[in-house]
Amino acid sequence: MGKPSDLIQGTLDLQILKTVSLEPKHGWAIARRIQQVSQDVLQVTQGSLYPALHRLEQQGWLRAQTGVTETGREAKFYALTAAGRRQLARELESWDRLSGAIGLVVRETGEA
Amino acid sequence: MLRLIDRLRHRLRSLAGAQAADAELAREIALHLEDETRENVARGMSPAEARAAARRSFGSVALVEEQCRDTRRVAWLQSLAQDLRYGLRSLVAQPLLVAAATASIAVGAGATTLIYSLASELLVATPHARAAGELVNIRLAGSSHVSYREWRELGESGAIASLAGYQIEQSVNLRDGDRTVSIVPLITTANFFDALGVPVALGRGYSSREADAGREPLVAVVSDGFWRRRLGADPRAAGRAIVVNGRPYTVLGVLPRGLKAFAGFGLAPEVYIPLSRSLMPDLDHPHASAVQLVGRLRDGQTLEQASAALTTVLQRSPDRDAQRPGRVGRITPVSDGVPELGSIATFFAVLLSVGLLVLAIAGANVAGLLLARSSARQRELAIRVALGASRRRLMQQVLAESFWLALAGTAGGLLLTFGAMRAISSLPLPLPLPLEIGTPFDLGLFGCALAVVLLATLFGGLLPAIQATRPSVAPALKQDVRRYVHRRWTLRGLLVIGQVAVSILLVVTSFLFLRNLARAHALDPGFDTTSTLVAQVGFVEHRYTAETRTALLATAVDRVEALPRVERATYALGVPLTIRSGRVSGAPVSIEGEGARSNFDAMWAENMVGSGYFDTLGIALLKGRDFTSADTAGAPRVIVINEAFVRRHLGGREPIGLRLLLPGAASPDAYEIVGVVGNSRHRTIGEGQMAAVYYSYAQRPGDGRVVHLLARMRGAPEDGLASIAGAIEGLDPTAAVDVQTMRHTLAFAFLPSRVGAALVGGLGAVALTLAMAGLFALLSYSVTRRTKEIGVRMALGAPVGAVARLVIGDALTLVATGMAIGLALAAFVTQPLAMFLVDGLRPGDPVSFAGTALIFVLVSAAATWQPIRRAAGVDPVAALRDE
């Protein structure tokens, strides 16, 4: 299908929500921020950011608004909604579960 | 709320302004690339290099655009369709599960929709008429019928838009080739077709003017069935003549096929004829019941306004009297069904709840199957939960599977319903009226089926959905931590308990109905049923006076008694336990010469009989004498009463010679008691013992057009059928004669208990089967799950018996709990069934309860047998090798 797998999608959502939780940003700034924070370890194809942004907007977790970039251009800014803030909390929690679970899955695949 | 509006707006925009959204996205991407390029230039790349690098790190613009567009599409619809597709695919992979679940639901759904269809056909089918929604049934206080005069008065007053009447209680003789048969017409007021707009397929209905009772109208409209059976489906039938009661009636029209008649109950009268004085001699009598009323409301008139308007008319009426208070009893819309539904409606309500219970059991079975499956899929689901799939989404998926099963099951159930309806309407019922039950696929049935699908989806899917998505990720991921932790009170176990409880309830009920049937057959009706023949004779109206009719009957009896092998013959107005069993009267009675103190209120069955009645039917004469040919109209009035009357009302007096004041035509008449006979059943086989009064037919012939001749035969009574019919027809060829054995005639008396037993018994058996299938599936599954545990136990030296006990123990706990709950429940729930049971059988009948318990113990043993054998046959080596 060409869509990102559930795994990447799940973590990407988390990263986006986390990034815009500080202040509203436009697409490129979000991509830039994710790269910087992860110290360029998590290299996300920048394009895959946009479908995720649109999905999160549709789910009501992000709200689009018009803003002005540092270079003085008018652009679509994404801000976190109240529901998005709650979702972020959930995602953070499930991230802890996931990291534990993945460890178990990886260790136990030999059996069964 | 805001969020909802936001989302809605977003969706609407994405649906409506896809282009605008595309343009916005393109701008967004262009800006991103610009920003990235600028950044790259700042890092020291050449502009061309910087642009290329930006494109590289962005990836395919076209792909991103496509993905965004995908996201925009209305997502939930998509995911729903996806879940349905996925559900269907995963079900197709498991044909056995699908077959079992579909069959379960089909039975439950079939039972529910069948009962719904029957009820809607028999009870509340709106008759076909112009603007039937405006029509109302009108009942005056205390009576279903009104007199001809009352109808005229109310109709002419203009209190409501129009008012028509009909009755279906009277039969007429129809000349059919060289035979005369008795049929039941719908006798209507002249304006029936004009006022109600009943559709006519061929020809036309009669008009108010030509059918006016004063003109002795000889016109008729016939049913589609009559037209096919008796007129050879003649396309030029309008204008042909049929002979009714010896007079030629002109057929004006033929009703459409499948017409719902005003009589209700699925009855389809064969002929519609207008009311006339020849059909009803006491038409002008102010209290003679003529027709039941159906009227049309004025535009905007409410039921209350109509009721008030009619009441005003009645109060102004000159012949208002104490017998019939001048007020309107009840006005109900025709679409609500005939007001006289009473216990039939209750019966259907009982049946419908039974059907829903069966559906619930079927749903529990499906739930059990899905639960078993979802525990096998626990890991898959847990991984998906961990990866962020929402719980709602997963539940939607499990429900989607259950929805497919429910849909397939309901479709199967509808097929069963149609088959059953067809079978029922072709079933010969021992009723004197044709019954036509259509199998309509109307909006109501569709709605009912939809409700069934929904219920079945929820019954079957909700519990598994909740269970499957319970967010306990870690243990499930760690494969099967709980493999050795055995829990008895699992959700599936609870389902089985519920199933057992509910089916216990149903089996107890069916047991009651079956016992009821057996009882009814074993009950002694108090008269001979094996060697008696019953000839129903319908005379043409007004061919005879009371005297000549009595004389003719006496001659007929002589002729019949002269036939070979006839032991004794007699005549009577009614025959007990048939639809014409005579009347039940209730009135204050006093004993002549004892003053007002001896007055008592009594209710009794009454019949007008000829001499030899008791001897012919084998009812013992206990005291005094039988009627004789001397008890004629002019002679002193005499009665014979039964034992129950003596015991209940005469308080130790010597009955013979007492004179009772019984209600007469105008004022009470004194009748001397000349005999006391044994008790017998009168109206229904299951009734409590009724008091009875027998009059001499010659002294009280009434206006009964239909009389019965009874003959006791030596040897097989069937052999006398033809000769007796011949003897009577020889006397009067216009009379409709129908000779049957008493046994055949009594089928009517057993109809209610038979129908009840068949329906409830069938459903009970189905419920039992479903519950046991559920138990079997649960145990089989639990043995599979615990194979390793059993293997370990056996390897450690557990004997086969202990292993069997392990499995049995579970089954026993489940079944015993379910049984206890079910029996307790049944003790309460069966109480209202008393009204359907024969005298002497109580809802708490210990035999039914004990029998049900025994059946369940046996069937449970059968259901557990195979799983136990499998458990005992576990090979420890093989089981442990898997570990």
Side-chain angles (χ1 to χ4, degrees):
Chain A
M1 296 275 269
K3 288 187 184 172
S5 75
D6 273 0
L7 178 66
I8 294 182
Q9 197 166 28
T11 54
L12 186 59
D13 287 359
L14 176 59
Q15 291 171 52
I16 292 172
L17 292 175
K18 180 73 190 158
T19 306
V20 298
S21 70
L22 305 173
E23 54 172 346
K25 286 188 173 59
H26 70 291
W28 178 76
I30 296 172
R32 195 77 203 108
R33 172 81 185 163
I34 289 175
Q35 269 172 15
Q36 279 171 1
V37 169
S38 66
Q39 285 145 3
D40 290 333
V41 173
L42 271 175
Q43 272 279 3
V44 183
T45 321
Q46 292 173 354
S48 68
L49 191 66
Y50 286 90
L53 281 171
H54 284 226
R55 188 165 34 72
L56 293 175
E57 184 189 355
Q58 197 156 43
Q59 278 169 326
W61 293 333
L62 294 183
R63 188 173 47 241
Q65 58 194 48
T66 314
V68 179
T69 65
E70 295 153 31
T71 53
R73 301 287 299 271
E74 203 171 84
K76 191 177 175 190
F77 273 58
Y78 293 90
L80 200 62
T81 63
R85 204 165 291 285
R86 282 196 297 277
Q87 176 64 16
L88 175 60
R90 271 200 299 273
E91 295 251 345
L92 280 172
E93 188 197 328
S94 83
W95 166 250
D96 295 339
R97 275 193 280 143
L98 177 69
S99 45
I102 287 180
L104 287 164
V105 173
V106 171
R107 250 173 273 134
E108 298 215 4
T109 34
E111 291 182 29
Chain B
M1 193 59 215
L2 255 171
R3 182 175 154 213
L4 193 75
I5 294 171
D6 225 37
R7 282 170 78 171
L8 205 66
R9 215 189 40 193
H10 194 273
R11 261 174 210 168
L12 282 179
R13 204 177 55 201
S14 64
L15 279 173
Q19 276 183 332
D22 276 350
E24 191 187 282
L25 178 64
R27 264 201 312 280
E28 218 180 346
I29 292 175
L31 186 66
H32 181 110
L33 291 174
E34 254 173 63
D35 280 344
E36 184 72 15
T37 310
R38 196 172 29 72
E39 178 89 1
N40 287 345
V41 169
R43 279 192 196 144
M45 295 184 195
S46 75
E49 227 183 329
R51 190 163 299 119
R55 280 196 176 275
R56 232 185 354 264
S57 65
F58 189 85
S60 160
V61 173
L63 182 65
V64 167
E65 282 177 344
E66 183 52 41
Q67 284 172 354
C68 286
R69 240 175 260 133
D70 271 357
T71 318
R72 275 207 308 270
R73 276 188 204 123
V74 186
W76 64 273
L77 252 183
Q78 241 185 346
S79 71
L80 186 66
Q82 194 186 340
D83 283 343
L84 286 175
R85 255 200 325 273
Y86 180 78
L88 192 60
R89 221 180 309 138
S90 73
L91 283 178
V92 166
Q94 296 192 298
L96 253 172
L97 174 112
V98 172
T102 308
S104 288
I105 292 183
V107 171
T112 314
T113 51
L114 173 65
I115 292 161
Y116 172 84
S117 312
L118 273 179
S120 71
E121 276 292 291
L122 297 186
L123 302 187
V124 290
T126 305
H128 289 143
R130 179 181 355 108
E134 298 169 2
L135 296 178
V136 288
N137 284 313
I138 298 162
R139 297 289 179 266
L140 302 192
S143 169
S144 60
H145 288 57
V146 303
S147 72
Y148 182 68
R149 278 195 12 209
E150 279 169 317
W151 164 70
R152 291 251 313 247
E153 228 169 87
L154 290 170
E156 284 163 8
S157 71
I160 59 174
S162 55
L163 188 66
Y166 61 87
Q167 62 128 304
I168 193 154
E169 284 74 22
Q170 195 175 336
S171 58
V172 294
N173 285 3
L174 177 79
R175 194 73 195 156
D176 186 25
D178 54 357
R179 303 186 316 135
T180 299
V181 293
S182 186
I183 62 168
V184 179
L186 194 74
I187 299 178
T188 73
T189 52
N191 65 345
F192 186 80
F193 286 94
D194 288 351
L196 303 180
V198 172
V200 178
L202 188 70
R204 60 184 181 86
Y206 38 80
S207 71
S208 305
R209 184 171 307 217
E210 70 189 327
D212 186 80
R215 301 160 62 123
E216 286 299 308
L218 294 177
V219 289
V221 172
V222 301
S223 74
D224 179 77
F226 184 97
W227 179 61
R228 286 172 202 283
R229 280 190 297 272
R230 305 198 202 265
L231 298 180
D234 178 5
R236 284 194 300 274
R240 274 175 68 167
I242 54 174
V243 178
V244 175
N245 281 357
R247 308 172 77 177
Y249 277 67
T250 308
V251 174
L252 294 182
V254 179
L255 297 168
R257 183 171 207 165
L259 177 95
K260 299 253 175 303
F262 269 86
F265 303 112
L267 298 174
E270 292 189 272
V271 177
Y272 288 45
I273 47 179
L275 199 57
S276 66
R277 289 194 177 74
S278 64
L279 286 173
M280 203 185 148
D282 54 355
L283 194 66
D284 299 304
H285 192 281
H287 306 309
S289 292
V291 290
Q292 42 195 70
L293 296 176
V294 53
R296 191 180 292 281
L297 297 182
R298 296 180 175 290
D299 271 348
Q301 195 175 29
T302 64
L303 295 177
E304 291 73 26
Q305 288 164 349
S307 175
L310 291 169
T311 305
T312 312
V313 177
L314 285 170
Q315 278 164 350
R316 278 205 310 261
S317 166
D319 49 39
R320 197 155 66 81
D321 67 297
Q323 287 269 305
R324 180 168 291 167
R327 65 190 162 82
V328 172
R330 220 143 58 105
I331 297 193
T332 52
V334 160
S335 51
D336 286 359
V338 188
E340 291 83 18
L341 289 178
S343 66
I344 306 182
T346 317
F347 182 63
F348 271 102
V350 170
L351 278 183
L352 195 62
S353 2
V354 168
L356 282 176
L357 287 180
V358 172
L359 185 66
I361 296 180
N365 258 358
V366 175
L369 287 167
L370 288 180
L371 274 179
R373 217 166 90 76
S374 72
S375 35
R377 279 166 61 187
Q378 205 97 62
R379 266 160 65 87
E380 174 204 336
L381 291 170
I383 289 176
R384 294 194 53 189
V385 169
L387 293 180
S390 77
R391 192 161 175 206
R392 217 202 61 192
R393 183 69 202 280
L394 288 181
M395 281 178 71
Q396 182 175 308
Q397 207 176 78
V398 179
L399 282 175
E401 282 182 17
S402 140
F403 167 78
W404 281 119
L405 294 173
L407 197 67
T410 306
L414 278 179
L415 284 181
L416 286 181
T417 296
F418 284 141
M421 288 287 274
R422 192 147 303 165
I424 287 171
S425 54
S426 65
L427 216 65
L429 289 176
L431 290 174
L433 266 174
L435 200 61
E436 276 179 15
I437 301 172
T439 50
F441 191 78
D442 58 7
L443 220 60
L445 182 62
F446 185 72
C448 173
L450 211 64
V452 166
V453 170
L454 233 67
L455 276 180
T457 304
L458 290 181
F459 281 155
L462 205 55
L463 278 181
I466 293 170
Q467 168 89 342
T469 57
R470 198 171 280 167
S472 53
V473 176
L477 281 175
K478 285 190 249 167
Q479 212 174 10
D480 40 13
V481 170
R482 281 187 289 173
R483 187 185 284 167
Y484 300 114
V485 182
H486 177 57
R487 293 194 313 161
R488 182 165 289 149
W489 303 107
T490 58
L491 205 50
R492 294 195 69 200
L494 291 179
L495 279 177
V496 167
I497 291 175
Q499 278 185 317
V500 170
V502 174
S503 45
I504 285 261
L505 182 63
L506 293 182
V507 173
V508 167
T509 312
S510 23
F511 227 105
L512 271 175
F513 275 81
L514 287 172
R515 289 251 303 150
N516 187 47
L517 182 64
R519 268 286 176 101
H521 275 284
L523 278 180
D524 178 14
F527 57 87
D528 171 76
T529 57
T530 53
S531 53
T532 314
L533 283 179
V534 180
Q536 177 186 300
V537 186
F539 294 115
V540 167
E541 211 77 44
H542 304 312
R543 204 179 168 87
Y544 302 97
T545 63
E547 287 76 28
T548 55
R549 188 167 61 227
T550 311
L552 181 88
L553 286 170
T555 317
V557 165
D558 289 343
R559 278 195 168 206
V560 168
E561 280 193 326
L563 292 171
R565 301 202 306 105
V566 173
E567 217 163 78
R568 188 76 206 260
T570 187
Y571 59 89
L573 185 67
V575 175
L577 301 188
T578 66
I579 200 165
R580 297 176 193 283
S581 59
R583 289 198 309 183
V584 172
S585 288
V589 175
S590 50
I591 301 173
E592 199 181 56
E594 292 200 11
R597 265 188 319 114
S598 70
N599 285 9
F600 55 90
D601 280 317
M603 191 162 92
W604 65 89
E606 64 184 31
N607 198 358
M608 290 67 174
V609 304
S611 67
Y613 176 81
F614 306 110
D615 186 24
T616 308
L617 283 187
I619 299 173
L621 182 66
L622 302 175
K623 261 184 185 166
R625 66 170 175 89
D626 184 9
F627 296 115
T628 68
S629 51
D631 294 322
T632 56
R637 295 196 179 93
V638 290
I639 50 171
V640 171
I641 58 176
N642 72 350
E643 230 184 331
F645 196 106
V646 176
R647 206 186 48 233
R648 206 163 299 162
H649 298 304
L650 297 185
R653 296 180 183 80
E654 168 56 40
I656 304 295
L658 279 183
R659 289 162 62 82
L660 298 182
L661 288 165
L662 297 169
S667 57
D669 292 322
Y671 288 85
E672 182 181 337
I673 300 172
V674 294
V676 176
V677 294
N679 292 333
S680 60
R681 310 278 163 178
H682 299 270
R683 310 265 296 173
T684 65
I685 188 79
E687 73 195 7
Q689 186 53 58
M690 294 179 85
V693 173
Y694 299 91
Y695 296 94
S696 165
Y697 184 86
Q699 293 181 340
R700 238 185 142 152
D703 52 8
R705 207 182 52 77
V706 176
V707 186
H708 297 89
L709 260 79
L710 301 160
R712 198 170 74 235
M713 311 291 294
R714 276 184 296 269
E718 285 81 2
D719 301 341
L721 289 174
S723 58
I724 286 181
I728 303 168
E729 277 163 352
L731 279 175
D732 178 357
T734 66
V737 182
D738 182 24
V739 189
Q740 300 286 355
T741 62
M742 179 67 96
R743 189 188 295 280
H744 182 268
T745 309
L746 290 190
F748 173 75
F750 294 115
L751 190 63
S753 22
R754 273 210 187 123
V755 170
L759 285 173
V760 182
L763 289 176
V766 165
L768 180 65
T769 315
L770 287 176
M772 286 309 126
L775 179 65
F776 174 79
L778 175 80
L779 289 180
S780 301
Y781 171 70
S782 111
V783 169
T784 307
R785 217 170 43 116
R786 295 166 73 184
T787 303
K788 285 170 196 170
E789 177 194 348
I790 292 169
V792 170
R793 282 173 190 260
M794 288 176 93
L796 292 178
V800 171
V803 170
R805 262 202 303 284
L806 193 73
V807 180
I808 280 190
D810 287 357
L812 268 186
T813 317
L814 294 176
V815 173
T817 314
M819 271 173 68
I821 296 173
L823 288 173
L825 214 64
F828 283 106
V829 176
T830 52
Q831 286 306 321
L833 295 177
M835 64 189 288
F836 302 116
L837 301 179
V838 301
D839 196 34
L841 189 61
R842 300 262 60 84
D845 178 44
V847 178
S848 296
F849 280 76
T852 304
L854 185 67
I855 287 181
F856 265 83
V857 170
L858 290 178
V859 179
S860 309
T864 47
W865 177 244
Q866 201 267 349
I868 288 172
R869 283 205 32 193
R870 256 187 54 210
V874 166
D875 176 1
V877 178
L880 292 175
R881 201 165 40 221
D882 283 349
E883 198 66 353

